[in-house]
Amino acid sequence: MIEASDAAARSEPLAVLIVGAGFSGLAMAIRCRQAGIGPFRVIEKGDGIGGTWHDNTYPGAACDVPSHLYSLSFAPKADWSRMYAPQAEILAYLRETAERHGLMPLIQLGTAFQGATWDEARALWHVETDRGPITARAIVSGMGGLHHPAYPDIPGRDAFAGPAFHTAAWDHAVSLAGKRVGVIGTGASAIQVVPELAEVAGQLTLFQRTPPWIMPKNDHAIAERIKARYRRLPLARRLERARLFWLHEVRALLGFTKVSKLTGQAEALARRHLAKAVPDPELRRRLTPNYRLGCKRVLISDTYYPALQRPNVTLETGSIARITPGGVTTQDGRTHDLDAIVYATGFDVTATFTRMNLVGRDGLRLADAWAGGMGAYQGITVAGFPNYFMLLGPNTGLGHNSVVAMIEVQVQHVLDCLGALRRGTRAVEVRPEAQARFLDRIRARLADSIWQAGGCRSWYLDAQGRNATLWPDSVMAYRRSARRARMADYRLG
Ligand code: N01
């Protein structure tokens, strides 16, 4: 295989440029290497690999999908320390995996993708980065959707005098010990950080706009004898992974994608979890969601409700009017004096995709192609953008199972397309009619999905209220749909 540095020396275009060194980009790079596809290079805007797991270092950051499932099937790890591994262990796993597969020399850190233009005559992409141009026959985006922190549009936000930062950009230089800390937001990041902060802060005020549905987590350390068994018997580890996969897959049927009778049963389970943890009926009332379970991401925690009942923690449900130099003022005129603010306010998913400055065939801009809403064939390819492939693109996020399973399906699909390029095809481009058929199919499924019909607003929906982020079915259904690239759906030039 030709390494990237050799190609650069001869100024040859890369066969593949992979953007992002998180789970997706690394999975793609490993599989390219194994398939002998090259030369390729991975560019990464951060100063280290790991993507989400590099960026999100807030106290308590962990995965809410069991680690034996939230890992690459072709890069197994027998000795996960816990059912739900903490961030540092997942990051270490990604680093070890990249090293073991010889990827580090092929990854260019501190290099941000700024845009790319398709060159029809030469059948290649001219890519702009903040470290200079790159040419490549194909681009695989492993950029994901959750890396542009979203800050709330609250008047006075910039006026706050103390430290203020986002969960995805934690300032470890700031000690919050003994401080009056305000946390804004009650999503997946907040429920992990709040129990940790409550332990150290003098006073913690949690500003809740919408209460989340929370299920028991049942996290536990994995015993040494189990780890030893998984090391000795890879089949035992694979069976555990399969058990976890099917356990999560069943959730797609249990009302995690559609409102059904089972939704009510899952809600009853979550209500029991709340009732057991929170004896005070008034606090319980304020923590009870008024929309259907599954409409927003269903959270799991055994430590969040107890943390809210500590004497140094206040749950504030009045809406925020403005931020002042000294804290937060709520609509009812009360002021909440704070030394620091933590924004657990999520990510700007739409911006991540639409900010990509991509110019395809005949000068078509991705932003224009998506003016009526984001959408891609199998969530991977877009008509007008030959040899451009997305991992975790539109409509391929999940609420019920591990996204790593989705990534692996997509990597196989992209490999099929890259295989066609290797066999001499200059350009692989999805046919517009195939893309339209696919989008019609999933949009019909989304019409009565829980995200649309569940009575809530979430980051899953765009400004027009359409869900262009989640896959509306099981992982198995996606596997059937996308795992192999049907060449009849592609124009091979
Ligand atoms: O962000 P979110 P997140 N005033 O968008 C609130 C993944 N993830 O970082 O619900 C007041 O879910 C907002 O309120 P509301 C996972 O996919 C995974 O927590 O819109 N509040 C909400 O409570 C997840 O879904 C793990 O009313 C405001 C919160 O901020 C995704 O990342 C761990 C506000 C944002 O919640 C995002 O999760 C962590 C305002 N102006 C994250 N604006 C795993 O374990 C927003 N909010 C795998």
Side-chain angles (χ1 to χ4, degrees), residues 42 52 69 86 97 124 168 170 191 219 234 294 308 318 337 403 422 425-426 437 466 469-470:
V42 183
T52 290
L69 186 58
T97 301
L124 51 77
W170 198 265
I191 70 148
D219 188 18
L308 298 187
D337 296 336
V403 283
R422 196 155 60 153
T425 300
R426 280 162 51 88
R437 258 197 322 271
R466 280 176 306 225
T469 53
L470 289 192

Side-chain angles (χ1 to χ4, degrees), residues 377 432-442 488-489:
Y377 170 73
E433 59 278 17
Q435 182 177 325
R437 258 197 322 271
F438 172 81
L439 289 175
D440 285 350
R441 177 157 66 89
I442 59 163
D489 286 347

Side-chain angles (χ1 to χ4, degrees), residues 2-18 37-41 117-119 121-127 133-139 387 421 426:
I2 309 164
E3 303 285 310
S5 48
D6 303 336
R10 294 199 305 273
S11 297
E12 273 179 17
L14 296 165
V16 188
L17 177 70
I18 299 170
I37 291 172
F40 72 83
R41 191 187 311 171
T117 304
W118 174 248
D119 180 338
R122 296 176 62 201
L124 51 77
W125 285 98
H126 294 283
V127 179
I134 299 172
T135 52
R137 296 193 65 203
I139 300 174
N387 300 358
L421 294 181
R426 280 162 51 88

